[in-house]
Structure formats: C-alpha cells, structure tokens
Amino acid sequence: MMNLNWLSLQLLALTLWAVIAQATLQDKLTVRAFSNPHFADVLNDNQLRRLASTAHKESSWLDIKKGELLSPVLVPRQIGSPGYRATQDLIVTTLGQLGYAISWDNFTTPTPMGDVKMSNIIATKNPSAAKRLVLAAHYESKIVPGGDFVGATDSAVPVAMILDIAKGLAGLIDKQTDSDISLQMVFFDGEEAFEQWTSTDSIYGARHLAEFWEHNPDPATVAALSGATEHRPELERVELMVLMDLIGAPDNMFAALQIPTADIFTQLSKLEKRLQSAEYIDRLYMNTAMPPGATGIEDDHLPFIERNIPVLHLISVPFPKVWHKLSDNAEALDATVIADMSLIMRSFVASYLRLHV
C-alpha cells in the first residue's frame, strides 16, 4: 500500500517542477517590447509605390554581373584572401560614406586549422540612440575542397542586400534624427566550419561578439556617449536582430523559425502580400503554412537567442540546391528573387523604423 505522506511529497515535487519548468520556458520565450510590432500597415499605398519606384531605379546596384554592391562580393572570400579583404573594404567604405559609425571586433581564435585572426564589422547609424534594429549576415565564404567556393547565396547576396538597404534608404534615415531606435548592421566573420560543423567549429564571430556585447557597449556607442560615466552593454540596446542567409536562389522560401519573432514574421508576410498584390514583386516568399519553430537551423543567431535577443532568421527553407557546392556562384542566382527580396527588406526597414517615405 502506498504511503500517503510519500505520495503528498511526490505531488508537491511534481507541482514545483511544473512551476519551475513553466518559468524556464517563459524566460526563454520572453522578448523585449518591439517598437513597432504591427508594421505591415504603417506605410500607405502611395508610400509603398514610392519605395518600389526608387528600388526599381536603383536595381542596378544589385546587378549580378556589374552591380556596384553585389558583383564585387561574388568572389571567393575565404578568411585572409584578397576577396575577403575586398569585401571588408566595400562594407566599410560604403557605410562609412553614408555616415555610419564603424567598429571592428578583431580577435584571434583557435580552430582545427590553428589560431586564426577574424574580424566582425559593426556599422551603426546614430549610435547614441537607445535601441537598435540590427541587420546581420556573415561575409566570409567556406573553404571547400576542390576549388574556390564563392558562396553567392551564402552569403554574398545578403551582404549586398544590407548595403543596398543602407544606401537606398539613406536619405530617409538621415531625416529621422529624433528616433530612439537606430539601424545597426553586423557583418559576422567565421560563420562557416573549417572542417565539420560543431559547437566549437562554427559561428566564431557571432559567439565572440555576443559574449563581448553581453558585458560591454560597442565602441561606437561609447564614442557617441562620451560624456556618460556608465554604459549599458550593447545587447541591452538590441531590440530585434534580422539575420539573413542563403538568399538569391530561384527556389528561396522562408519560414518563422523562432517562436519569439513569429508575429514579426507574420507582419513581414502581410507586408510582402501588399507588395505582391500591387505587382511590385513577382511572387510570395514567406511560408506561413509552416508552424512557427517547426524546424531549427544552426546559424549566427544562436549565441544571441541564448542571451534572450529576439531574432528574425531569414534563411531559405529548404536550403538552396547549390548549398555548400562549388556551383553556388553567380550562375546560381536569380535576378528577380534578388530584386524582390531587396524591395521586401527595404519596405520592412522603412516600416519598422517609421521612416517618412
């Protein structure tokens, strides 16, 4: 016969476990209040039309063969290579000329190939602002045996798209001087594994920056707030991170991969439907049929979500057919997809930041 005291203790233990488990889950799902959680309808039809018209006029920037923002990065970009250095120069020059404060997160880290020097690049507009909308992508390309791997979708196009957003919206962003949220762009180094993907052989730059930002402000923030005696860690300023990867292939589709940003994904889907119904984009790319969080993909967002930073992870699901193949080069890209995604992301940033279009 079961002892009632023992049973009571068991029930109490189970109850406490359930409470703790629920609290742990809630802690994992807790996100910061978004400045503009219902951004899909912020811009009226005329404003979307103006954005679409401007993007069309500036579409040559992302031309696959000669675009000033895309063509230069459609080269092998293995760490330390000439293409890698040229990509760094393009990022820093383009954003520096647009008035972004540039910070370098330089570090040396052990890898299966020995100690390797790496550099994350951070560009911040109005670094004195209290909050950040972060656009992120990795800029180096993988070492692939048998040839020079370009990584056109992985991630030359995302890098070029971020530069396109900054340049295309520059005039509108410059006019918005009173906002408490600024645009910050992060270009991660060392996303790719040197040998086989593990927790230690991957996302080197993201792991380093997340740890640094957990305890320290970005140098650009310190410079902008030079009169302050104390500085908050930079992560406390990050309201939302949008990580882009594997973009530009004909079969691109995206899903709500993170539950805390599922509503943001829904709003993005509504925004692209407005663009598609007005015939500004060719088709829809956001797959709302897949349940939020139905699949998990390891990428540069991991160290940030572990620190409770909301991340909208825009990576093609399924992966492009050319993923990690030497054929992931300019020939694998679809100009229509690139133009569509450029307009979608310009519209997203303009809507979320409430730019005066």
Side-chain angles (χ1 to χ4, degrees):
M1 186 173 178
M2 187 174 294
N3 185 289
L4 291 179
N5 288 333
W6 182 86
L7 178 59
S8 298
L9 288 172
Q10 288 292 93
L11 289 173
L12 178 60
L14 287 172
T15 302
L16 288 172
W17 178 86
V19 170
I20 293 171
Q22 183 178 14
T24 301
L25 178 62
Q26 289 300 318
D27 181 65
K28 289 181 179 179
L29 297 184
T30 297
V31 296
R32 299 161 198 211
F34 297 119
S35 295
N36 192 359
H38 306 292
F39 59 83
D41 297 315
V42 164
L43 300 181
N44 62 39
D45 292 344
N46 287 332
Q47 290 173 312
L48 282 183
R49 177 180 53 80
R50 286 195 288 270
L51 275 179
S53 176
T54 301
H56 178 72
K57 294 175 183 177
E58 297 168 348
S59 61
S60 62
W61 297 348
L62 295 177
D63 184 84
I64 296 169
K65 293 184 178 180
K66 54 184 179 181
E68 62 185 77
L69 299 180
L70 178 56
S71 179
V73 297
L74 289 176
V75 295
R77 303 178 309 283
Q78 287 75 27
I79 295 173
S81 68
Y84 168 89
R85 299 297 182 195
T87 299
Q88 290 179 327
D89 290 342
L90 178 67
I91 292 169
V92 171
T93 300
T94 300
L95 296 176
Q97 290 175 346
L98 295 174
Y100 284 76
I102 307 298
S103 301
W104 290 83
D105 176 34
N106 301 315
F107 62 101
T108 301
T109 184
T111 76
M113 299 182 68
D115 288 350
V116 175
K117 293 181 179 180
M118 299 185 188
S119 299
N120 296 315
I121 304 173
I122 303 98
T124 310
K125 193 72 170 180
N126 186 20
S128 62
K131 294 176 287 188
R132 311 273 190 260
L133 169 63
V134 178
L135 305 181
H138 75 91
Y139 70 92
E140 99 292 1
S141 54
K142 185 174 177 60
I143 299 172
V144 175
D148 290 329
F149 178 71
V150 171
T153 68
D154 188 16
S155 271
V157 169
V159 167
M161 279 179 52
I162 292 175
L163 298 179
D164 173 80
I165 292 166
K167 189 171 181 179
L169 299 180
L172 300 175
I173 293 173
D174 286 343
K175 292 178 182 178
Q176 194 165 19
T177 57
D178 59 346
S179 177
D180 67 344
I181 182 168
S182 66
L183 188 59
Q184 188 173 59
M185 300 177 174
V186 176
F187 301 88
F188 292 117
D189 203 350
E191 186 267 352
E192 301 286 6
F194 285 86
E195 292 183 347
Q196 186 173 359
W197 187 286
T198 65
S199 60
T200 54
D201 186 17
S202 65
I203 58 173
Y204 292 91
R207 287 189 282 121
H208 187 271
L209 187 64
E211 183 177 1
F212 179 76
W213 274 5
E214 183 179 11
H215 304 287
N216 304 279
D218 187 79
T221 304
V222 175
L225 300 172
S226 57
T229 56
E230 294 184 6
H231 294 281
R232 291 187 291 145
E234 194 72 12
L235 281 189
E236 292 185 13
R237 297 180 181 272
V238 178
E239 178 174 294
L240 172 65
M241 175 181 286
V242 182
L243 177 64
M244 294 183 278
D245 203 353
L246 304 184
I247 298 177
D251 54 353
N252 272 170
M253 289 296 294
F254 306 91
L257 300 178
Q258 300 295 317
I259 293 175
T261 53
D263 289 344
I264 296 293
F265 182 86
T266 298
Q267 288 290 305
L268 184 61
S269 173
K270 290 180 179 179
L271 180 58
E272 77 155 354
K273 286 177 181 176
R274 291 184 62 197
L275 294 169
Q276 198 264 346
S277 65
E279 300 183 348
Y280 299 145
I281 61 175
D282 186 64
R283 67 174 177 89
L284 300 177
Y285 298 85
M286 308 303 147
N287 180 8
T288 56
M290 182 180 292
T295 184
I297 297 173
E298 296 187 358
D299 204 349
D300 283 317
H301 65 298
L302 289 180
F304 294 90
I305 63 172
E306 289 170 358
R307 291 165 171 85
N308 210 29
I309 299 300
V311 179
L312 178 64
H313 191 194
L314 292 180
I315 186 171
S316 186
V317 180
F319 287 0
K321 296 175 183 178
V322 295
W323 178 66
H324 283 186
K325 296 178 181 178
L326 293 177
S327 53
D328 187 4
N329 54 32
E331 299 300 318
L333 298 178
D334 186 299
T336 299
V337 171
I338 294 171
D340 284 355
M341 288 302 298
S342 167
L343 178 56
I344 290 169
M345 294 310 297
R346 283 189 184 202
S347 301
F348 160 72
V349 172
S351 298
Y352 194 88
L353 296 181
R354 297 183 183 274
L355 299 181
H356 300 297
V357 178

